[in-house]
Amino acid sequence: MGGCFSKPKPVELKIEVVLPEKERGKEELSASGKSSPRAYQGNGTARHFHSEERLPTPHSYPGTQDCVEAAVCHVKDLENGQMREVELGWGKVLLVKDNGEFHALGHKCPHYGAPLVKGVLSRGRVRCPWHGACFNISTGDLEDFPGLDSLHKFQVKIEKEKVYVRASKQALQLQRRTKVMAKCISPSAGHSGSTNVLIVGAGAAGLVCAETLRQEGFSDRIVLCTLDRHLPYDRPKLSKSLDAQPEQLALRPKEFFRAYGIEVLTEAQVVTVDVRNKKVVFKDGFKLEYSKLLLAPGSSPKTLSCKGKEVENVFTIRTPEDANRVVRLARGRNTVVVGAGFLGMEVAAYLTEKAHSVSVVELEETPFRRFLGERVGRALMKMFENNRVKFYMQTEVSELRAQEGKLKEVVLKSSKVVRADVCVVGIGAVPSTGFLRQSGINLDSRGFIPVNKMMQTNVPGVFAAGDAVTFPLAWRNNRKVNIPHWQMAHAQGRVAAQNMLAQEAEISTVPYLWTAMFGKSLRYAGYGEGFDDVIIQGDLEELKFVAFYTKTGDMSWLTGKGS
């Protein structure tokens, strides 16, 4: 999956621009009984608490009447290394031929529903064409992220030169499979003050850590705590689909947490970590002891420090409520976005059909300049300008002016004054690690938590993952890097869980991120910070291109493909 252009070996990074992805359908587990979050008292303060029980596991083949079997092709219809989407009953199956053997799997990626037949088959795995999730064709298991669920694997037999596939009707409809998980055998009684595993942060890293522990047979208590009022949700969608409601963003329904005994504390802020006594203290005074700890607190958005920063209708986007308020107030109004990184540009793209006007303020010469380079940045900037977005580049905000307390104008250091009813600030983020400063857990000069390849901190039994960590990137000569990607958080959460169970796993996944704007999807594989050169293949003006980012003298590489 990649290679080198010349000696010394360069870093290659590939960007792809393709058609936009479809939203995945929500397929929730059905509960055997009703669930109701219950509040418990922590030193006099009510806390939101979700403690869920196990759901019945559906059987793949419950009976002959619940299955469908049919011949789907002739054995010679597929060559080795080929995939085909075939009809089976009222559903579809991905048929794969690899090393002379046929495999039948679910045909859609469980992450967002991408057609896997358009993906890549290599070394016994099929990789999703949209976001790079990887599935083992022998088992259907998810082996690389993003996403949480695996594929169904269906029975295949050969008779009289024909390939027959047998599948349960339920599996054909669901198109996703949750791995078998252990049941918690030591549930909490009331507000028990101790847990075997405490996970601080309920983003991708925290959720995947909890799920991996259960998948690996861990049956003791797991507590997941979050500042959010919601159960874990799909945070990258906040800036891509600002109208999305919390229930539409949920990564798992609350019945899931009941089924697998994963307790979730919402609106729960940890203020102190006592590593000597293995105990955390929450803002309301509640104390919880732990045996193993995962720190996955994520990051907090930077805010403006200019005059008038306290006026109304100036937002950062951190929660579904933030995103919903922005799109509601921006309809038919003048909107200014400060920052031309991924979040800012996604918000600007989404609001163009809803706001009266959209303006972007950026300190650099072009959007994405440090990340994608000037040529790619200018091409993307042109796409935005063609969609009525106005740019104010190489300047920053000096003042926010209000009328009756609400934003009315944004004054720039270039002396320009931009009309604005709503302002969205997307100028980066800082790790949410202030509560660790006196804990004895090492932080670097920027506030990140340094970890080793096994996601371990300097304190035994304490692990960290997600946006708030720096870790050694193996194919960049173990350089300590921070990669705040959704997919990377998944992978780090899994490695942390494996090492809580003494499996000696190491982080090795290739970083991957994606975005979609104006009907184009940008896909970025690898880590190209500090690149020396950009090699463009294809038509950059038409946004049908691949870009390789190279750095002379480095042994690592990054790649992707586009059309």
Side-chain angles (χ1 to χ4, degrees), residues 124-419:
R125 305 196 299 178
V126 59
R127 191 170 288 275
C128 172
W130 287 355
H131 306 131
C134 204
F135 304 91
N136 187 304
I137 62 172
S138 296
T139 63
D141 285 350
L142 175 69
E143 294 190 350
D144 201 1
F145 300 98
L148 299 171
D149 288 320
S150 297
L151 301 175
H152 283 284
K153 179 72 191 298
F154 304 119
Q155 297 173 355
V156 177
K157 65 179 180 180
I158 310 296
E159 286 186 0
K160 297 180 180 179
E161 300 294 297
K162 290 184 178 180
V163 180
Y164 287 80
V165 176
R166 175 181 170 86
S168 78
K169 296 174 183 178
Q170 183 185 53
L172 286 173
Q173 289 177 320
L174 289 178
Q175 287 296 326
R176 63 181 64 213
R177 172 177 61 85
T178 300
K179 286 184 177 180
V180 174
M181 297 191 193
K183 182 177 180 179
C184 180
I185 61 173
S186 57
S188 65
H191 56 278
S192 174
S194 65
T195 182
N196 298 90
V197 173
L198 174 62
I199 300 171
V200 179
L207 178 59
V208 170
C209 179
E211 291 198 19
T212 302
L213 288 169
R214 289 287 185 249
Q215 291 165 6
E216 295 295 322
F218 183 80
S219 58
D220 288 320
R221 190 181 181 199
I222 299 173
V223 174
L224 185 68
C225 65
T226 174
L227 278 170
D228 273 299
R229 66 177 66 176
H230 308 291
L231 294 172
Y233 58 89
D234 193 344
R235 195 176 298 276
K237 278 191 177 179
L238 292 182
S239 54
K240 298 177 177 68
S241 182
L242 280 76
D243 276 321
Q245 298 302 302
E247 58 272 15
Q248 297 172 306
L249 298 170
L251 294 172
R252 296 293 196 191
K254 54 189 173 184
E255 292 82 7
F256 175 90
F257 297 93
R258 170 192 300 166
Y260 300 113
I262 299 170
E263 304 168 32
V264 183
L265 306 182
T266 56
E267 299 182 274
Q269 182 180 357
V270 174
V271 294
T272 303
V273 177
D274 179 353
V275 297
R276 177 175 296 179
N277 295 304
K278 293 190 172 183
K279 179 171 59 179
V280 303
V281 180
F282 291 85
K283 187 176 181 179
D284 63 7
F286 177 68
K287 298 176 182 179
L288 189 60
E289 296 178 359
Y290 63 84
S291 295
K292 301 287 184 182
L293 174 65
L294 175 70
L295 298 168
S299 57
S300 302
K302 294 179 180 179
T303 57
L304 295 175
S305 58
C306 62
K307 182 180 178 181
K309 62 182 180 180
E310 71 285 346
V311 305
E312 291 183 38
N313 298 342
V314 177
F315 299 93
T316 58
I317 294 181
R318 184 74 176 87
T319 68
E321 289 76 18
D322 295 334
N324 293 169
R325 277 195 292 269
V326 166
V327 74
R328 183 176 68 251
L329 292 171
R331 293 185 189 278
R333 312 295 290 278
N334 299 305
T335 303
V336 170
V337 177
V338 182
F342 283 97
L343 184 143
M345 296 292 273
E346 288 170 355
V347 169
Y350 189 81
L351 293 178
T352 51
E353 293 184 357
K354 296 172 175 60
H356 174 70
S357 68
V358 178
S359 302
V360 175
V361 178
E362 169 58 42
L363 192 57
E364 296 284 346
E365 296 177 21
T366 60
F368 306 115
R369 183 174 180 272
R370 293 184 181 180
F371 202 74
L372 304 179
E374 186 173 345
R375 291 175 62 194
V376 174
R378 286 199 181 282
L380 294 172
M381 184 174 173
K382 181 179 178 181
M383 176 179 71
F384 274 74
E385 289 173 332
N386 290 340
N387 284 277
R388 301 187 306 108
V389 176
K390 184 171 179 59
F391 287 91
Y392 297 89
M393 308 303 288
Q394 294 182 277
T395 189
E396 52 190 327
V397 177
S398 65
E399 182 182 357
L400 299 171
R401 291 178 180 168
Q403 182 177 323
E404 298 180 352
K406 296 182 179 180
L407 180 67
K408 213 60 192 166
E409 293 176 333
V410 174
V411 182
L412 306 181
K413 287 190 176 179
S414 61
S415 298
K416 290 187 179 292
V417 178
V418 184
R419 292 183 62 187

Side-chain angles (χ1 to χ4, degrees), residues 299 448 466-469 471 482-489 513 527:
S299 57
F448 291 103
D467 292 4
V469 307
F471 68 100
N482 169 253
I483 301 180
H485 299 177
W486 187 243
Q487 164 261 8
M488 183 59 72
L513 67 82
Y527 183 77

